[in-house]
Amino acid sequence: MKLVVEVINAHDLMPKDGEGSASPFVEVDFGNQLSRTRTVKKNLNPTWTHKLLFHLDATKPFHRQTIEVSVYHERRPLPGRTFLGRTRIPCSNIVKEGQQVYQIFPLEKKWVLSSVKGEIGLKIYTASEAKPKAFSPIFPSELENFSASTPLQVPESITTPSLTEETDLTDSTLEADLKGEDPALDTPELTKEEVDFVSSGIDIDHEPKKESKEPVPEVVQQLDKHQVLQQPRISIKKRPQGTLSTMHSFDHRFQSSNAENYNHNDTNTQPRISIKRRPRVPQGTPLTMNSVNPQLHDQRYNLNSTNQQPRIISETPRPGSPITRQNPVNLNPQVHTNGDENYNLRDTNPQLGGRGWGSGGERFTSTYDLVEQMFYLYVRVVKAKNLPPGTITSSCSPYVEVKMGNYKGRTKHMEKKLSPEWNQVFAFSKDSIQSSFLEVFVKDKEMVGRDDYIGRVIFDLNEVPTRVPPDSPLAPQWYRLEDLRGEGKVNGDIMLAVWMGTQADDAFSDAWHSDAATVYGEGVLNIRSKVYVSPKLWYLRVNVIEAQDVIPGDRNRLPEVFVKAQVGCQVLKTKICPTSTRTTTPLWNEDLVFVAAEPFEEKLTITVEDRVHPSKDEVLGKINLPLTLFEKRLDHRPVHSRWFNLEKFGFGGLEGDRRNELKFSSRIHLRVSLEGGYHVLDESTLYISDQRPTARQLWKQPIGILEVGILGAQGLLPMKMKDGHGSTDAYCVAKYGQKWVRTRTLLDTFSPKWNEQYTWEVYDPCTVITLGVFDNCHLGGGEKTPGGNGALDSRIGKVRIRLSTLEANRIYTNSYPLLVLHPHGVKKMGELQLAVRFTALSLANMVHIYGQPLLPKMHYLHPFTVNQIDSLRYQAMNIVAARLGRAEPSLRKEVVEYMLDVDSHMWSMRRSKANFFRIMSLLSGLITMGRWFSDVCNWKNHITSILVHILFLILIFYPELILPTVFLYMFLIGLWNYRFRAKNPSHMDTKLSWAEGVHPDELDEEFDTFPTSRSHDMVRMRYDRLRTVAGRIQTIVGDIATQGERFQSLLSWRDPRATSIFVLFCLCAAVVLYAAPFRVVAMVTGLYHLRHPKFRSKLPSVPSNFFKRLPARTDSLL
């Protein structure tokens, strides 16, 4: 693999040759590999456009390395060089080829006394090919400092660039200059400096020059991106005795774990990194999701869940009903008024890990230790050979039937194949095993009548081996088929593998489980556990500047022209051109911002329209532009604008001959860019889970790892009717950052046990992970739901956990109440059992992140308005829901909306009350302090008043102790409150949400649609109630405004007598304060306010009376 550093240009360098200029060249140092560009003579704004190649070992983590780019002045005639500046770039921001963008880095000093200024423009990326492309076109914004005399021209025809190159917007002059560049730029051969370093023993490039199609792994903090966003490999080993490990030390031979705890794994869990108290091993060489490295096949297993799965048919119903409640199903639950509901968080003590089935109860561990072990009997049916043909058809359409007690698993049949291959896996839960024998039948599919038996194989479960991690997968073996009656062998062999294992087994995700025997058809995909990745979102900024030669249809009137821009379903319009500039050259200069997702499927449609009538708009011109045409920028530097020719509306396919004759007479001036410096908000900032900008080059290194074990749920309520009784088919969804996870759907149970573990990289601790539980209503006919496939997955509950409230390296095992607000009140739908651990990678980075802005800097340099943020968030949510809905199984829109809190901005009387009481709780502290100070002044407690007097006099005579005393007091309060700190993460609080005492009509209003669907009388009553509340708020706001206007009237001479009195008082106060020492004035003022009640009057003070007599503007209100 190659690291390519493309040195583009530099500008505003420091002159060093004594003649006001310099002869600069660039030297790049990466991993003791040095390379340099050519020297540009006498130029403080040089242009190189030179690619420097470095060898990059992808098997080793390189995210901690840096690229040092130094600029030097080459001295002549005496040999030597002078330092002009340098910049250091972390390798964690490196992107793949095709994703690179032009970046400008300020030059920094090497020493304190160095004289440095200027900037350097670079492109940095990795390339899997040994020979990079000769030249990558540069956007006009990158060439703004190339040559001041080079005019920017727009080509007449715009061609779509290739996927690996950017759009070439340069003029012919620039192209001629580039063709005349040094030919060394177009060859992958080493430069002279690289040859010198190779001869000196420094390895520059030993990679064979052959094309490789392998993707470039993106390594961050010893944790690859594919390990977080895809299903991981599993590595399970026993802990060797006497193994010591530090926080960042890894043993590449084995993993060690605590012998006291049993770790276990699940199909969708993510790999962990090493921490001090629970050492782990790195995952080694990255593997793709659908491939297995044969060299690591003994310890790391690939989990593939996209293959065709077998169909399991339940022969008889499962004994016992899963319904544990005798009450009828209440699909519209009422509020519990007896107060017996427990809405609090409960501590749990799950057995994280377990005891294996091996002899002697041998205990073993895995890298996933936040879930309980679940045991399964696995049967892998690989293939068969030498099967006998049928006596009638002279052919065979075989399939395999695996029978375990009352369950039958069946593979798909192969048409007319005597040596078929299935490679399908069956998993039978230990709890559902009801037989001591496993039977595997091979049958011949018949078109009419019963299927013929070919043979069978029987296994005694007492003889089935147990696969104890980290054993390699059990090798399948050939078995000769026996006669159905057991009278001897028959023709044909079948390759099988049967073993006992846990959910940590690599076959778990591929297997069809016995607890899903009743699911068939499309419901097969809807019960799978999956990991999803949100699409990469960009803000598209369209700056509509002006248009030229806009000719309206009616030439006798001035046009009222505006521009309408559309991206997908998003439509925005500019304002109508002002009356003073209503000409054929209208000017707008307005910004329109859209949300776009990679891959860019929609186009930008620009339409120029004329407002002929308030209800009629005439289209004057139109153009469609692909989003790949526009530049991606990372900062606030403006991009170059371009002119686009408009197509005359009305000349289409019906007038093809005339269209060629028509000359374009109208064009529009646009400045369009894809904003990579923003974070596209698709969730509320109150519960934000990711704050990184869109462009990967701006990402920081992760500061921690979040591991969540979704153990199960308890006490779920029936959500739908199935076969005459209540049923719940629950699954859990978790969302953090761009990664979504979905557990398996467990059928017809009120206490599902998922035991799945997932891992996320954490870039900011002040983020929130959201987990929701839903009832699956899309099982392919497995249930009788009204509306069929049109039914929505029902909400069972949601849990939020803020990472900043978690202690590092501690496992939290709690049962969270699942609370849902219904139109009839709050209802506890059950409890969700979780095991959460947050691992901090670096304490220094953790402390540093608390001083950084919450969002990327572009949100503060060029902020959006509040209305723009709300609109863009809604559009981003729709795009995420649409893209995740395409997956298999799809993450449905109602699930995404519930997880992203799409309705959090809607009006609610309940939320208004909750927020009001939140404010009152904050002010209660100030009110308490005010009451305490009043008690001190009124000498309610003589000892306290005397002590306050003494403290006040000490601070007056030693004012330098004021600030130390304040901070020391807060320090002592913090230490005292440490005793009362929260032991568990926060959860949904019904009292804080004002959900227990809410009026039913207020809940009905909250669940009302928008616009309303209630009767006119109901709407009138609610409107009157809202007017009453708004009247109170209006009075409070008016009182605040009155006090402010009285303060302004002190010097406004609206009341001449009052202003005269105040002006004379200010003069006297100035003289007294100038003559008297400040300490004396402060002491007199303080003692006056602390005086004994005997010296106080119950009447208001003179300043208060004077202030209340000042005029306000209330008498001017209508």
Side-chain angles (χ1 to χ4, degrees), residues 266-277:
D266 196 35
T267 57
N268 291 296
T269 53
Q270 302 300 328
R272 299 179 60 253
I273 71 166
S274 173
I275 60 176
K276 184 173 182 180
R277 63 181 183 82

Side-chain angles (χ1 to χ4, degrees), residues 593-696:
V593 184
F594 302 88
V595 179
E598 289 186 354
F600 300 120
E601 300 175 352
E602 297 87 3
K603 292 185 178 181
L604 172 63
T605 302
I606 301 294
T607 307
V608 179
E609 301 184 7
D610 181 17
R611 179 64 54 85
V612 180
H613 189 268
S615 60
K616 180 181 178 182
D617 298 328
E618 178 185 355
V619 179
L620 304 181
K622 185 178 181 181
I623 186 174
N624 292 322
L625 302 173
L627 299 186
T628 54
L629 187 68
F630 307 121
E631 179 181 354
K632 299 176 181 178
R633 69 171 183 175
L634 308 184
D635 49 25
H636 61 281
R637 294 179 175 86
V639 298
H640 283 276
S641 59
R642 297 178 57 185
W643 287 94
F644 296 94
N645 293 323
L646 294 174
E647 177 184 348
K648 183 67 176 178
F649 185 77
F651 291 89
L654 297 179
E655 302 181 1
D657 297 335
R658 292 186 56 190
R659 185 178 181 181
N660 296 330
E661 299 176 1
L662 180 65
K663 300 299 182 182
F664 293 146
S665 60
S666 302
R667 61 177 187 168
I668 189 169
H669 195 191
L670 302 176
R671 179 182 287 111
V672 188
S673 62
L674 290 164
E675 302 289 347
Y678 290 91
H679 169 70
V680 180
L681 296 170
D682 59 350
E683 53 192 345
S684 174
T685 54
L686 301 177
Y687 322 119
I688 194 169
S689 63
D690 188 15
Q691 302 163 355
R692 293 171 294 172
T694 300
R696 184 177 177 82

Side-chain angles (χ1 to χ4, degrees), residues 198-300:
V198 171
S199 62
S200 64
I202 299 178
D203 184 13
I204 297 295
D205 185 8
H206 296 290
E207 183 176 344
K209 297 181 178 181
K210 60 181 181 179
E211 185 175 356
S212 173
K213 297 182 179 180
E214 293 294 328
V216 181
E218 302 169 355
V219 181
V220 181
Q221 283 284 8
Q222 304 281 359
L223 195 63
D224 296 324
K225 180 180 179 181
H226 78 279
Q227 294 173 320
V228 177
L229 302 182
Q230 298 179 359
Q231 299 183 5
R233 272 59 56 194
I234 302 171
S235 179
I236 305 173
K237 280 183 178 291
K238 300 177 184 178
R239 176 182 181 179
Q241 298 295 330
T243 302
L244 297 177
S245 175
T246 59
M247 182 172 183
H248 294 289
S249 64
F250 296 92
D251 190 337
H252 295 275
R253 295 172 302 170
F254 57 83
Q255 288 182 333
S256 61
S257 180
N258 194 324
E260 297 292 335
N261 297 329
Y262 292 134
N263 304 334
H264 50 273
N265 193 0
D266 196 35
T267 57
N268 291 296
T269 53
Q270 302 300 328
R272 299 179 60 253
I273 71 166
S274 173
I275 60 176
K276 184 173 182 180
R277 63 181 183 82
R278 194 178 298 278
R280 291 290 180 268
V281 136
Q283 295 297 323
T285 304
L287 304 178
T288 59
M289 181 180 285
N290 298 320
S291 63
V292 178
N293 189 340
Q295 298 177 355
L296 303 176
H297 192 266
D298 57 339
Q299 293 185 5
R300 296 171 177 85

